[in-house]
Amino acid sequence: MHEPGAPSLPYRSDIDGLRSIAVLSVVLYHFGMPGLAGGFTGVDIFFVISGFLIGGILWREYETAGRIRLSHFYIRRFRRLAPAFFAMAVVTTLFAWALLLPFEFREYGKTLIAATVYLSNVLFFRQSGYFDTGAEDKPLLHTWSLAVEEQFYIFLPLFILLLSRRRTVLLVALVGVWAASLAACIGLTPSQPTATFYLFPFRAWELLSGVLLAIWGIETGRRWRGYAGLSWIGLGLVAVSILFIPAGPHFPGLYAILPVLGTVLLLANGTGRNPVNRLLSAPVPVFFGRISYSLYLWHWPVLTLSLYLRGGYANAAEAVVWMAVSVGLAWLSWRLVESPMRRARLPGWVFLGGTVAASGAMLAVGGWLYLKDGLPDRFGPEARPHIAASADFLQDWSRCRTPSEGPLMGLEICPVGPDGPPQVLVWGDSHVRAFKEGIDLAAHEAGVPGLLIWRAGCMPLFDLRKVESSATEAQDTACTQANLQIKQSFGRLPSMNKVLLVGRWTYYANGTGIGLDEDNRIAVHPTTRPPVIGERQSDVVADAARATVADLLTWFDEVIVLRQPPEIATYDSRVAAREAAHAGWPLAKTPVTRADIPRAALAQRILPAEAPWRAMAEDGAITLIDTWPRICDDTACHALIDGTGYYFDNNHLTNSAALAMRDLFAPLFVTDGAGS
């Protein structure tokens, strides 16, 4: 029921039908149902509907009373939205406590805080994109759209109040804000797609489209019967949006106009007696429309946590089962939480106080989870080494900088060891990152300053270009350009006399990952000559290795190469931690990780990768640093050493491993300046 004195709107079953299209398109899209490339545009439909309904309520009150009672408006919003949200948040937090690893649960605490204070869209904007693969590890990601709407609920009534004394100015200002928001959304999506997707200023035009439609209808006395042809056009635009708009960095931008315009047309012609409105007003669409808010709330936690537990669905039928679970929870939420709270004859201060108390509790829980690092003691001893390893891959990069001039201009460089002119260069790919803490401590212990340069997936070899499945074309090009710049810089870096090369040599020589990352692909091509038909990639890399070392020896006294640590093919600390933590859970996936690998299983893979380095070491051209004796025994190599996790994934070491093996880098920091 409405608060006493609140302006009410006549019920329109077609709006519930339109809500059902919006929520079902989102749910089906998220659960991976084929044929709905643009199912995510259901959120845009919701935005227009919300603007239409809220704009109508506020404008009627403004027209009738000449003012807006903010307290009544917000109490109505709390009554409508807060109970179901908090019910979802409590249940999701309980399951997250049981399932999520500590570092994930810690981040969950942060998102719980952001969702409670209506800023989750800002948080997720700062973290990553909606279409990123990591999105499925965030059980509260879907609250970004709720945050946008809540920000709209703050903006619109205050904006109307601010300009309420001059009605014409208010209308012009609303249209101006709509136009500015639309222009910014279209203009900035190509360069700032994450910002335009998540942030309210770039989505305001969608909500204001509904607001301006409602105002136009009230001012003209519309009964919203309209024309059947316009309803068909609106339905067509919505269908095209849901079926064909591609996910990715081009949305929202111009693409968002289609679902917004389609929704506006359907709302503007929604009470007429035509086939479209009869379809929208049918019992099934109306049912899903009524539970649409709860269904939107519940479907994403069900999806993310079930995928987390299951490690992926076995088939489409399983996805349908979990969708059915979402619908069941949504119906229970609507029946037991939403509807009773709407009908409850309770004073407004009860809802206000309850919302404040529940918000305080959620903030306290979120802060506790964050400050307690995700409660790492929740899991048993079998999981703890893997959990520790999964959180042992963050290094201190505070000393890094990007020069604006000089031979390394534009490249990120990171000092290691004490301050001073660098005497040692460490150059490589993401394996440099993995070893960074050990290298840095070794440099400090030797009292020798050094410089570290690394780029993920970029082999530290000259005159090569790469095409990698996990990288963009721009990233591939940047690798080639950075290596060329490094090559050209050596004549202007006179203080350095040693260089260490660090890379995942087996990946570059073989062209593929192994085990859990076997789907990764990289092709390597020479830049100084045409490719030779039938030439093995390992030969291309070997030629580049020999040429690179020869070039480096013209500038450095010594070239040192780190033998790549053995790849533990089917190990990943995060996956292993989940498997151990979920052991005994119904529906938990069958374990796939192993923390050991026989040395014989790696022999064929490492042979072409290591051959050129071994030959150069035997000739005295380079010095090899060998990590294998610290990780392997005579028969196998191990991800866990004396109960400590040495591997983050199947080829990157943890900080603990890097620190334990720092003495291997001591020869690198024995220089003439250090008293050698």
Side-chain angles (χ1 to χ4, degrees), residues 425-427 435 460-461 498-505 545-546 548-550 552-553 558-565 609-610 612-614 616-617 621-627 664-665 667-668:
L425 174 66
V426 181
W427 175 33
F435 276 103
L461 299 174
K498 286 189 180 183
V499 59
L500 170 67
L501 303 182
V502 181
R504 189 182 179 186
W505 310 119
R546 288 187 286 267
T548 297
V549 168
L552 291 173
L553 286 173
E558 185 178 6
V559 176
I560 302 174
V561 178
L562 182 70
R563 185 187 184 193
Q564 179 192 325
E610 294 190 348
W613 304 115
R614 289 190 177 279
M616 285 186 281
I622 66 170
T623 301
L624 271 177
I625 295 177
D626 191 357
T627 59
L664 295 177
F665 299 104
L668 175 66

Side-chain angles (χ1 to χ4, degrees), residues 252-568:
L254 284 169
Y255 283 137
I257 293 176
L258 296 180
V260 170
L261 179 58
T263 305
V264 166
L265 291 175
L266 287 169
L267 290 172
N269 302 276
T271 63
R273 296 173 179 263
N274 64 59
V276 172
N277 294 330
R278 285 197 294 271
L279 175 65
L280 293 176
S281 300
V284 172
V286 168
F287 166 76
F288 281 103
R290 286 176 173 172
I291 69 169
S292 60
Y293 175 58
S294 283
L295 182 54
Y296 183 80
L297 282 177
W298 285 99
H299 86 282
W300 185 256
V302 168
L303 170 68
T304 55
L305 293 175
S306 62
L307 283 173
Y308 188 90
L309 176 64
R310 299 284 290 135
Y313 297 143
N315 48 48
E318 183 178 349
V320 171
V321 171
W322 288 107
M323 277 192 284
V325 171
S326 302
V327 173
L329 289 172
W331 181 81
L332 289 172
S333 174
W334 172 74
R335 185 68 181 270
L336 302 179
V337 181
E338 274 195 76
S339 296
M341 289 298 101
R342 289 189 202 178
R343 294 193 300 265
R345 295 180 176 273
L346 296 173
W349 65 264
V350 173
F351 283 96
L352 178 61
T355 301
V356 171
S359 298
M362 291 296 102
L363 293 175
V365 170
W368 180 56
L369 298 180
Y370 186 78
L371 293 174
K372 293 296 183 180
D373 289 326
L375 307 179
D377 294 333
R378 289 174 292 136
F379 301 110
E382 297 82 4
R384 288 177 188 170
H386 306 294
I387 290 173
S390 70
D392 194 20
F393 196 58
L394 297 176
Q395 298 85 18
D396 178 11
W397 301 99
S398 59
R399 296 176 66 192
C400 298
R401 61 187 179 86
T402 302
S404 57
E405 58 183 8
L408 298 176
M409 178 178 62
L411 300 179
E412 186 179 51
I413 59 175
C414 302
V416 292
D419 293 333
Q423 300 179 44
V424 170
L425 174 66
V426 181
W427 175 33
D429 57 14
S430 58
H431 282 218
V432 169
R433 169 182 176 147
F435 276 103
K436 187 260 182 185
E437 296 300 314
I439 293 172
D440 191 24
L441 184 54
H444 276 289
E445 291 175 342
V448 175
L451 193 65
L452 185 150
I453 302 176
W454 73 280
R455 186 178 294 266
C458 186
M459 55 278 175
L461 299 174
F462 298 136
D463 302 326
L464 290 178
R465 66 177 180 88
K466 66 159 179 120
V467 179
E468 189 174 12
S469 60
S470 60
T472 64
E473 183 178 352
Q475 290 170 328
D476 290 337
T477 301
C479 170
T480 303
Q481 293 174 339
N483 287 355
L484 176 60
Q485 183 177 349
I486 291 170
K487 180 180 182 180
Q488 295 171 342
S489 72
F490 291 140
R492 293 185 284 170
L493 299 172
S495 64
M496 292 191 286
N497 50 49
K498 286 189 180 183
V499 59
L500 170 67
L501 303 182
V502 181
R504 189 182 179 186
W505 310 119
T506 56
Y507 180 48
Y508 306 131
N510 291 278
T512 68
I514 185 175
L516 295 182
D517 81 324
E518 64 185 359
D519 292 333
N520 286 340
R521 298 285 188 273
I522 187 167
V524 176
H525 307 284
T527 60
T528 57
R529 61 173 174 82
V532 177
I533 296 176
E535 184 177 29
R536 294 181 303 178
Q537 183 158 308
S538 59
D539 292 337
V540 174
V541 174
D543 289 344
R546 288 187 286 267
T548 297
V549 168
D551 202 345
L552 291 173
L553 286 173
T554 65
W555 302 107
F556 294 90
D557 297 335
E558 185 178 6
V559 176
I560 302 174
V561 178
L562 182 70
R563 185 187 184 193
Q564 179 192 325
E567 295 166 314
I568 314 296

